[in-house]
Amino acid sequence: MAATATRQAFGDALVKVGSDPRVVVIDGDTKNSTFTELFAEQYPDRFIELGIAENNMLGVAAGLALSGKIPWAATFSTFIVGRLEVVRMSVCYNEANVRIAGTHVGVGIGDDGASQMALEDIAALRALPNMAIVQPCDSIETHHAVEYLTFEHVGPAFLRLTRQKLEDVHQEGYRFVFGKADQLRQGTDVTLIATGALVQEALAAAKALDGEGVSAGVLNIHTIAPLDVDAIVGAARSTGRIVSAEDHNVNGGLGSAVAEAIAEAGIPARLVRVGTRAFGESGSQEELYDRFGLSATHVADAARSLMG
Amino acid sequence: MPVTTTRDTSELREIAKELRVQIIRLLVEAKSGHPGGSLSEIDILTCLYFGAILRYRPDEPSWPERDRFVLSKGHCTPGYYSTLARAGYFPDEWLMTFRKIGSPLQGHPDRTKGPGVEASTGSLGQGISIALGIAIAAKIDDAPWRTYCMVGDGESESGQVWEAVMSAPKFNLDNFCVIVDNNQVQQTEPVEKIMDLAPLADKYRAFNWHVVEIDGHNFDEILAAFDEAAATKGKPTAIIAHTIKGKGVSFMELSPAWHGKAPSAEEGERAIAEILGGTK
Ligand SMILES: Cc1ncc(C[n+]2csc(CCOP(=O)(O)OP(=O)(O)O)c2C)c(N)n1
């Protein structure tokens, strides 16, 4: 399949799960950006447009969930974390089965620039004790995640989605297991632990390293919370060298989660965190991945810095 | 050195025409951005910056006595930057770097990068509170300068807008003027369909604002509204400007499709021909 933005795969997947009449979708005037417009066309009676009013949107989602609906609230991720206390109180503390889709994550969104780029959403939501955080790395994984979160998951959940297109990493027949890391590649020298858009960068980096005689494993962390601590600790134990990679601030994101897991297990491993450390800015995705140190080259460089 | 200003509405109309052309040019070059709300706001920005309303010094952007303008609907940078360039804050050539890597002209206003940009915005609903804070600061210091803020009609769905609207009269902020660019369309649909705001003027009145309703493309009415705001004592003024999203380019007018999409080179040429042709 051609490269697809995970936001688009989400829109397609919503139409599929929409055949269940409990599924309701809520929009904040961004349905053509989040692709929930596909659901709106198919199921107009279960599509709720609340306008540019995200506090209300998230509270309404909680109310719908408490009344037996399966609500998906979708908008740009940064506008969701902007309403963190509503997510905390109305959604999480109520144990409301709300599904939130946050799109336009990371500097990968490009031209729009800093104000639209969510670089803190994982950090903020990870502090909520019962919030599941899932970040798929391709279209196939997105379909599985939407299906799982819609029908099987109990408790609040957040799905982190890209604006930019991502290569397919998985094949049809891939089995997505919530909460279990996905080992994409075995390696003995270093493990690249990546999430979302950085998974394809990590795979490219592993290939480059291979050519230099460095054996790099790649672990796809699609479920950031609850984290598969065993897989991360296992990787730290077996390779002793870890690179975490995410299009998000290194503080509080996957890099922090990995550091916590390794430190708490008391494993003597070395870690380099690839991720952002500043606000974003305007530019193309490629230019920004270069400027913010997120491209395959940077992931490979991080691994090289651990060798020798 | 202050920029030359004029009260001659035919001159202002010419300036606005020139700025509309700039908006299209920079969007074609950037290949992304927001034409609709830039074209609807531009006649008002023209009057503010070139109709002797706003007092500012382009060669001294942080002149303490300057009037402040906050673009709360931050995505409408093409109109804003074209205005700031003509006002002399930076050279016209910078407009061609809009949204490109390393440019001071970010997709949404960034006060740390763009000269003349008063506040960084782009998450709707926040700029009006920042502007309110600026106006309160002036009141505390009994400073003579005024604060203006442009808010979108779609943006007005945001609860924070109404928190700001509720608070301003408490501080008797006659130094504060909000302009609602009531261009009838938001990102995905007409405002009326997403969330009907009517009666918008009555809502502001109920919150104890002085309200002026105008045709936001009529230069006499825009200038008169700003004069009325400046003369109003004891309360803030809201100018509800009835405008047309995409104004001046027929294929963009009132079309949600042109909210956040740049014209191609060919579409840009057609748009510019229409703007210069002067078909009203
Ligand atoms: C809090 C927030 N939610 C959503 C968006 C995405 N967004 C950008 S522009 C826009 C529509 C704005 O409509 P309006 O205020 O009417 O502006 P205009 O028509 O003048 O362009 C939306 C939903 C945003 N920037 N901020």
Side-chain angles (χ1 to χ4, degrees), chain A residues 27 29-33 49-53 79 83 111-116 280-283 287-288 291, chain B residues 30 32 34 99-102 106-108 113 121-124 154-155 157-159 186-189 194-195:
Chain A
D27 180 38
D29 189 29
T30 53
K31 67 174 187 270
N32 55 357
S33 301
E49 176 58 70
L50 289 173
I52 307 167
F79 306 139
R83 283 78 193 163
D111 300 358
D112 265 347
S115 69
Q116 319 291 300
E281 54 185 278
S282 294
E287 288 167 329
L288 292 168
R291 178 170 282 222
Chain B
S32 70
H34 298 81
R99 287 179 165 248
K100 293 188 179 169
I101 192 92
Q106 293 287 300
H108 293 74
K113 298 191 169 81
T121 54
S123 181
L124 296 167
E155 181 181 17
E157 288 153 5
S158 166
Q186 49 191 104
Q187 175 171 320
T188 60
E189 307 250 24
I194 298 255
M195 198 61 67

Side-chain angles (χ1 to χ4, degrees), chain A residues 28-30 52 54 75-76 79 83 116, chain B residues 34 36-38 40 73 75-76 108 122-125 151-156 181 183 185-187 191 245 259:
Chain A
D29 189 29
T30 53
I52 307 167
E54 292 83 3
T75 189
F76 291 22
F79 306 139
R83 283 78 193 163
Q116 319 291 300
Chain B
H34 298 81
S38 291
S40 65
K73 44 172 222 154
H75 55 286
C76 297
H108 293 74
S123 181
L124 296 167
V151 176
D153 47 2
E155 181 181 17
S156 301
D181 183 9
N183 65 20
V185 174
Q186 49 191 104
Q187 175 171 320
V191 178
K245 193 151 174 167
H259 164 75

Side-chain angles (χ1 to χ4, degrees), chain B residues 153-172:
Chain B
D153 47 2
E155 181 181 17
S156 301
E157 288 153 5
S158 166
Q160 186 169 347
V161 167
W162 297 102
E163 292 177 24
V165 171
M166 174 178 69
S167 322
K170 170 177 173 175
F171 303 96
N172 308 317

Side-chain angles (χ1 to χ4, degrees), chain B residues 12-13 81-82 114 117 122 124 129 134 171 173 226 240 250 270:
Chain B
L12 288 169
R13 193 168 299 115
Y81 292 153
S82 298
V117 172
L124 296 167
S129 294
I134 292 172
F171 303 96
L173 296 179
F226 281 127
I240 311 294
S250 58
R270 265 200 288 146

